[in-house]
Amino acid sequence: MSAWPANPAVLEINTRVWLHDLRRRFGSNLTLADVPAEVWDDVARPGIDAVWLMGVWERSPRGAQIARTNEPMRRAADEALPDSSDDDIVGSAYCIRRYTPDPFFGGDLGLAMARVALAHRDVKLVLDFVPNHTAPDHAWALQRPEYYVHGTFEQVRDDPGSCIEVNGHMLACGKDPYFPAWPDVVQLDASSSDVRRVMAEQVMRIAERCDAVRCDMAMLVLDDVFEQTWGARGAPTRTDGLGFWPTVIEPVKSANPDFQFWAEAYWDLEPTLLAQGFDACYDKGLYDHLLHGSVEDVRDHLAGEAAQRIRFVENHDEPRAAAIVDREHHEALLTTVCTLPGVALLHEGGSHGRRVRVPIVLGRRPDEQPDLDLAAFVDRLLAALGDDLRRGVWRPLAIDGWPDNHSNEQLLAWTWTLPDTRFVVVVNLGHHRAEGMLHAPWDDLDDEVTLVDRLTGEQFQRSGAGWSEHGLYVALDAGGVHLFDVRP
């Protein structure tokens, strides 16, 4: 396969519910080894560079039982799937018993066949790695309790849900320091040299099966974060100078320089993780600005952003965009994340306007009426990305206001410049029609140029002279977008 492109577009699939839907269409015994070619053609369509098969590893029977009896987890499942039964609650995709493909997916053969199918279409495979915790019935929890943070007597007494008993040991449940513990997983001691060694070995084995790993809650195992969360309950402070992530990443990169590490990360710790070897980190800041902030917030955020970001308008942890975004802006948000530098992350089902976020403990999802107009737009957007748009040099553009009109403040614009091709992207993230003068950095355009909108096919004849100084007039309705191919 070819090397990773500079700015890949990636499709996340909740593998369990996706395969359940396919079984209803093609037969109840279908595994990843049996997915029809036309389904892979749709998944790996032009414009998609990689597929993240989320949740392929073997889930925990004990974790599934906890999910069925834990009131908040059961309530979330029932809200998403009102007719759910115990059989539908299959356990969390991140309560991993073994890093072996779950039998539901066809085991090792199923995953290998999926990778072959994607590689045949020149699409890469991304899988999960969970550094912070394991299932309570993971072999390490059963046989190597010293790999884990242990519960204290006071903790068990005051908060019984913060620990799990495993073979006579009270192991602390995994946690984010700002939220209650996750009741179905046990906390690895990320400060332990032995844990770091076996985790590095584990990732080496995962790297044989895919082209990148998405590392769940990657910031939780940073040395200072772990110490702040667990204090003296971890191993003694390490003195070799290596953090958790360099210990894990460097051996894999040495063996396979093209392999990528992507971090789910929050709390402005992305620069730290990038410095420790990650290729890209979540851009939760952009998500928050796009979904809950202002256009000015988005503009300021992009002014200081590097390209090593994973950009999205939804994923399995966030609400479905169609449920919280008005229809006229959904297309503008998708265009934004797909035409910025970095990793553009799409969520399977999002292109059809699914509104129900499926908790990761569920094995099926409710039927929903597809939004065919949105699906057609996403088809056009992916086709517009093609093989070239995100491969050039990206640059944000200034947009001046029109006389007595400050609606330009609702507009964002940028260019992609390649040796023989130039693109201009304009989006209106505001709630009213906007117009302004866009300043492109090109002084060598012909007197006459054609602007071809790759999304609609519309063509506009304009003078190319003076774009840098005087600007190009643009006008868009609320939520409108232009994706111009600039041709002499």
Side-chain angles (χ1 to χ4, degrees):
M1 282 188 66
S2 58
W4 275 98
N7 300 287
V10 181
L11 177 66
E12 177 192 2
I13 293 177
N14 183 329
T15 316
R16 183 78 185 218
V17 300
W18 176 73
L19 199 62
H20 181 275
D21 288 350
L22 292 181
R23 285 185 171 192
R24 293 169 63 187
R25 292 171 55 192
F26 299 106
S28 60
N29 294 320
L30 180 138
T31 71
L32 288 174
D34 313 309
V35 173
E38 63 265 27
V39 174
W40 287 126
D41 288 341
D42 181 60
V43 166
R45 69 184 80 176
I48 295 294
D49 301 297
V51 168
W52 168 18
L53 289 179
M54 189 277 288
V56 302
W57 304 122
E58 184 178 317
R59 301 184 189 213
S60 161
R62 186 169 179 182
Q65 185 57 36
I66 293 171
R68 293 177 188 128
T69 57
N70 178 271
E71 183 178 350
M73 297 174 79
R74 186 61 188 249
R75 183 169 60 251
D78 290 341
E79 289 174 355
L81 189 66
D83 64 340
S84 66
S85 67
D86 280 357
D87 290 341
D88 295 314
I89 300 177
V90 297
S92 169
Y94 294 94
C95 180
I96 294 173
R97 187 185 188 191
R98 288 193 303 167
Y99 280 96
T100 299
D102 197 283
F104 185 86
F105 306 125
D108 286 313
L109 176 62
L111 183 61
M113 293 291 287
R115 190 182 189 191
V116 169
L118 293 172
H120 180 69
R121 294 160 175 81
D122 200 26
V123 170
K124 297 183 181 297
L125 176 62
V126 183
L127 298 177
D128 295 295
F129 172 58
V130 183
N132 189 62
H133 51 261
T134 72
D137 46 2
H138 189 288
W140 294 347
L142 298 170
Q143 301 166 13
R144 303 301 298 266
E146 69 273 17
Y147 285 0
Y148 295 84
V149 175
H150 288 242
T152 64
F153 171 80
E154 292 79 7
Q155 185 183 28
V156 174
R157 180 195 63 199
D158 298 337
D159 186 9
S162 62
C163 296
I164 298 178
E165 189 276 328
V166 180
N167 277 0
H169 297 275
M170 293 303 298
L171 304 184
C173 291
K175 66 175 299 186
D176 171 329
Y178 300 105
F179 295 95
W182 297 299
D184 56 343
V185 295
V186 285
Q187 176 68 47
L188 286 162
D189 182 359
S191 63
S192 161
S193 297
D194 286 340
V195 169
R196 295 180 181 200
R197 174 181 53 80
V198 296
M199 293 296 263
E201 294 168 356
Q202 181 63 75
V203 179
M204 287 288 283
R205 291 190 291 271
I206 294 174
E208 296 173 357
R209 301 178 177 187
C210 60
D211 304 289
V213 285
R214 178 265 191 189
C215 298
D216 184 68
M217 299 292 280
M219 72 287 178
L220 292 182
V221 294
L222 291 171
D223 288 354
D224 54 349
V225 173
F226 186 84
E227 184 175 356
Q228 290 166 15
T229 305
W230 297 104
R233 295 167 65 186
T237 303
R238 290 170 55 87
T239 58
D240 62 7
L242 280 180
F244 178 94
W245 284 116
T247 302
V248 170
I249 292 174
E250 289 176 6
V252 177
K253 288 282 195 178
S254 295
N256 184 356
D258 288 334
F259 192 82
Q260 296 227 336
F261 284 81
W262 297 349
E264 179 192 18
Y266 308 107
W267 314 335
D268 298 323
L269 289 171
E270 297 88 348
T272 301
L273 290 162
L274 292 171
Q276 293 195 9
F278 277 92
D279 297 282
C281 294
Y282 270 32
D283 193 349
K284 182 62 159 54
L286 179 65
Y287 170 86
D288 289 337
H289 295 319
L290 285 172
L291 275 296
H292 310 295
S294 67
V295 180
E296 184 178 3
D297 292 333
V298 176
R299 186 179 294 109
D300 291 344
H301 183 81
L302 293 176
E305 277 296 290
Q308 294 171 282
R309 296 291 185 266
I310 301 170
R311 312 188 193 270
F312 49 87
V313 295
E314 62 178 69
N315 58 49
H316 69 267
D317 287 315
E318 306 291 351
R320 285 289 193 176
I324 60 174
V325 176
D326 58 86
R327 184 63 179 79
E328 68 181 0
H329 285 84
H330 200 161
E331 295 178 4
L333 296 179
L334 287 168
T335 302
T336 299
V337 299
C338 285
T339 59
L340 287 172
V343 178
L345 178 62
L346 301 174
H347 191 192
E348 185 269 332
S351 64
H352 285 72
R354 282 189 172 271
R355 302 174 66 86
V356 176
R357 186 185 75 83
V358 180
I360 54 175
V361 300
L362 279 176
R364 70 179 176 97
R365 60 188 172 188
D367 294 329
E368 297 186 63
Q369 190 69 26
D371 183 336
L372 298 181
D373 289 338
L374 180 63
F377 173 81
V378 174
D379 287 343
R380 296 196 302 273
L381 178 60
L382 289 174
L385 297 180
D387 295 325
D388 51 3
L389 190 144
R390 292 165 51 85
R391 308 298 186 245
V393 177
W394 177 82
R395 178 172 174 175
L397 299 183
I399 304 179
D400 290 339
W402 197 240
D404 301 320
N405 183 342
H406 298 289
S407 63
N408 64 299
E409 295 173 358
Q410 300 178 162
L411 298 173
L412 294 174
W414 41 84
T415 62
W416 287 94
T417 305
L418 293 86
D420 300 318
T421 313
R422 312 176 200 208
F423 300 98
V424 174
V425 181
V426 191
V427 295
N428 180 0
L429 297 181
H431 297 279
H432 306 283
R433 180 176 173 82
E435 56 187 341
M437 298 298 292
L438 180 154
H439 294 272
W442 305 314
D443 293 319
D444 59 339
L445 293 176
D446 297 334
D447 287 340
E448 288 293 326
V449 296
T450 302
L451 307 179
V452 181
D453 194 322
R454 282 199 171 190
L455 294 173
T456 65
E458 291 181 285
Q459 296 190 17
F460 303 89
Q461 303 295 326
R462 295 289 185 270
S463 171
W467 281 21
S468 176
E469 180 180 357
H470 304 295
L472 170 71
Y473 174 78
V474 291
L476 284 170
D477 291 332
V481 301
H482 281 314
L483 203 168
F484 287 133
D485 187 342
V486 182
R487 301 178 182 176

